[in-house]
Amino acid sequence: MAGKKDLERLRRRRRRKQRIIRATVHLFVWLGMAVLYYVGFSVFFDTPFEYQMKHSTDRLRREYEALSARYDSLSTVLGNLSERDRNVFRILFESEPYDFDSEHEQRQSSTYEKIVGRSTRQLKRELRERVSEMERQLETLNASYLELQARIDTAGRRCDNIPSIQPVINKQLTLLTASYGMRIHPFYKTLQSHQGVDYTIPEGSRVFATADGVVRDAAQRNSTQGQTVVIDHGNGYETSYSHLSKINVRKGQTVRRGDIIALSGDTGLSLAPHLHYEVRLDGMRVDPIHYFFMELTPTEYQRLMRIAQSGMQSFD
């Protein structure tokens, strides 16, 4: 009797041990399948975090390419400005300008050191802030451009009598050297109000009417402006073209936008051959750069504004 109980107890232990072994095997099998599933899923599919990181990298790459293109454009503009300023310095002082490249390199190295010391997260945040600021400025500029275009559309046929192009061929936007505002007079060496814009162009370059109108004056006005053409466009607008070498129109003649009215020169009180161009509205001189909208895109207009604001030397 006792032998039967011991045998039964041994069988129960054996069955319990077999169940434990079977459960352990099943556990390891399920764990292996889970690992294989995870590995396979990771190879063919991205987790939400990986997906977000990949697309974040793509966005940063696009932002970097856009900023790189912007940087190249600004570098070209700065190079043109630097060369123009060097030429002005040589003309005024008859000597080579001081070389600021070493100081610029020192400032650039200092800037690079600051950038290297920042974390990737901080650089990423600053990049996004700068891009956002550029987008806001672009939206504001586009809104202004659309508003201006709407006003032109409502003006109808009268828009032909509004100055809206540059008086010379300036496709590269590098010929405008002095803008509207307080500028250094080339002869008196003092700050004086410069109520137009100066284009440094070779003598004999073509000068165009910037809008339809009637020639009000075409003569030697005075010793400072030299040979000058004044066009009355109606609606309160007048334009003036000074320091000319030859005048191709006569008083009372009707002209159209784009007509060649004169050739540039160096007459009157002038530092070098150039064209001095003015726009007047109701008798008040206004900034001519705001009246180049027909041939400039918003980006080109913004670039021309930066070029104009960088020069402090007028030529008359």
Side-chain angles (χ1 to χ4, degrees), residues 51 131 152 176:
Y51 180 83
V131 171
I152 294 175
L176 195 149

Side-chain angles (χ1 to χ4, degrees), residues 35-105:
V35 170
L36 291 176
Y37 175 79
Y38 177 78
V39 171
F41 185 85
S42 300
V43 170
F44 297 101
F45 302 97
D46 294 331
T47 64
F49 178 75
E50 292 174 340
Y51 180 83
Q52 182 180 1
M53 290 300 295
K54 285 185 177 180
H55 282 265
S56 176
T57 303
D58 293 339
R59 184 171 59 254
L60 286 176
R61 185 180 296 107
R62 290 193 298 269
E63 293 174 355
Y64 175 78
E65 292 174 353
L67 290 176
S68 296
R70 182 65 174 166
Y71 176 80
D72 294 339
S73 176
L74 292 177
S75 297
T76 303
V77 174
L78 289 176
N80 293 334
L81 290 177
S82 177
E83 185 60 29
R84 187 196 67 185
D85 290 342
R86 289 175 180 271
N87 291 334
V88 172
F89 192 95
R90 294 188 186 102
I91 294 173
L92 289 177
F93 303 104
E94 298 180 355
S95 64
E96 289 296 323
Y98 179 76
D99 189 6
F100 292 95
D101 290 341
S102 59
E103 295 184 3
H104 174 71
E105 291 176 357

Side-chain angles (χ1 to χ4, degrees), residues 299-314:
T299 302
E300 291 173 336
Y301 169 78
Q302 196 172 25
R303 178 186 169 195
L304 189 63
M305 286 294 294
R306 286 195 299 269
I307 293 175
Q309 293 171 358
S310 64
M312 288 298 294
Q313 173 70 59
S314 67

Side-chain angles (χ1 to χ4, degrees), residues 130-182:
R130 291 182 181 180
V131 171
S132 299
E133 180 63 24
M134 292 175 63
E135 289 176 348
R136 286 192 294 269
Q137 293 178 359
L138 183 60
E139 289 177 358
T140 302
L141 188 61
N142 284 333
S144 301
Y145 179 79
L146 292 175
E147 181 181 356
L148 183 61
Q149 187 64 49
R151 291 186 179 183
I152 294 175
D153 294 339
T154 57
R157 295 179 59 88
R158 292 181 301 171
C159 66
D160 293 334
N161 298 91
I162 300 176
S164 55
I165 64 173
Q166 298 183 84
V168 298
I169 297 177
N170 186 26
K171 293 182 179 180
Q172 301 301 322
L173 308 181
T174 56
L175 300 179
L176 195 149
T177 53
S179 61
Y180 181 93
M182 299 300 294

Side-chain angles (χ1 to χ4, degrees), residues 86-311:
R86 289 175 180 271
N87 291 334
V88 172
F89 192 95
R90 294 188 186 102
I91 294 173
L92 289 177
F93 303 104
E94 298 180 355
S95 64
E96 289 296 323
Y98 179 76
D99 189 6
F100 292 95
D101 290 341
S102 59
E103 295 184 3
H104 174 71
E105 291 176 357
Q106 292 177 1
R107 290 195 300 268
Q108 195 173 29
S109 299
S110 177
T111 303
Y112 285 158
E113 291 177 358
K114 292 180 180 178
I115 293 176
V116 170
R118 295 172 184 168
S119 64
T120 304
R121 180 173 297 179
Q122 185 177 4
L123 291 174
K124 181 179 178 181
R125 183 178 66 253
E126 292 179 358
L127 179 62
R128 286 181 176 176
E129 291 175 354
R130 291 182 181 180
V131 171
S132 299
E133 180 63 24
M134 292 175 63
E135 289 176 348
R136 286 192 294 269
Q137 293 178 359
L138 183 60
E139 289 177 358
T140 302
L141 188 61
N142 284 333
S144 301
Y145 179 79
L146 292 175
E147 181 181 356
L148 183 61
Q149 187 64 49
R151 291 186 179 183
I152 294 175
D153 294 339
T154 57
R157 295 179 59 88
R158 292 181 301 171
C159 66
D160 293 334
N161 298 91
I162 300 176
S164 55
I165 64 173
Q166 298 183 84
V168 298
I169 297 177
N170 186 26
K171 293 182 179 180
Q172 301 301 322
L173 308 181
T174 56
L175 300 179
L176 195 149
T177 53
S179 61
Y180 181 93
M182 299 300 294
R183 297 292 178 262
I184 299 175
H185 195 279
F187 300 103
Y188 306 139
K189 306 303 180 184
T190 58
L191 280 176
Q192 294 190 8
S193 177
H194 189 248
Q195 298 183 323
V197 294
D198 290 345
Y199 288 92
T200 53
I201 52 179
E203 187 170 351
S205 299
R206 294 174 296 175
V207 178
F208 306 94
T210 56
D212 297 354
V214 178
V215 178
R216 185 173 66 81
D217 194 2
Q220 182 86 19
R221 289 174 57 85
N222 53 54
S223 60
T224 59
Q225 295 296 320
Q227 296 191 52
T228 301
V229 172
V230 178
I231 300 177
D232 184 358
H233 303 283
N235 301 320
Y237 283 103
E238 284 186 353
T239 53
S240 174
Y241 315 76
S242 302
H243 306 292
L244 305 171
S245 63
K246 181 182 178 181
I247 296 176
N248 298 335
V249 293
R250 64 184 183 279
K251 185 177 180 179
Q253 180 179 340
T254 299
V255 295
R256 300 294 182 186
R257 179 186 290 125
D259 287 351
I260 301 174
I261 59 173
L263 300 180
S264 65
D266 194 21
T267 58
L269 190 62
S270 172
L271 180 66
H274 75 287
L275 171 70
H276 178 80
Y277 172 66
E278 296 181 359
V279 176
R280 302 165 190 164
L281 177 60
D282 297 329
M284 298 292 293
R285 291 179 174 86
V286 295
D287 192 346
I289 293 182
H290 302 320
Y291 291 87
F292 299 154
F293 50 83
M294 180 171 285
E295 61 174 310
L296 297 181
T297 64
T299 302
E300 291 173 336
Y301 169 78
Q302 196 172 25
R303 178 186 169 195
L304 189 63
M305 286 294 294
R306 286 195 299 269
I307 293 175
Q309 293 171 358
S310 64

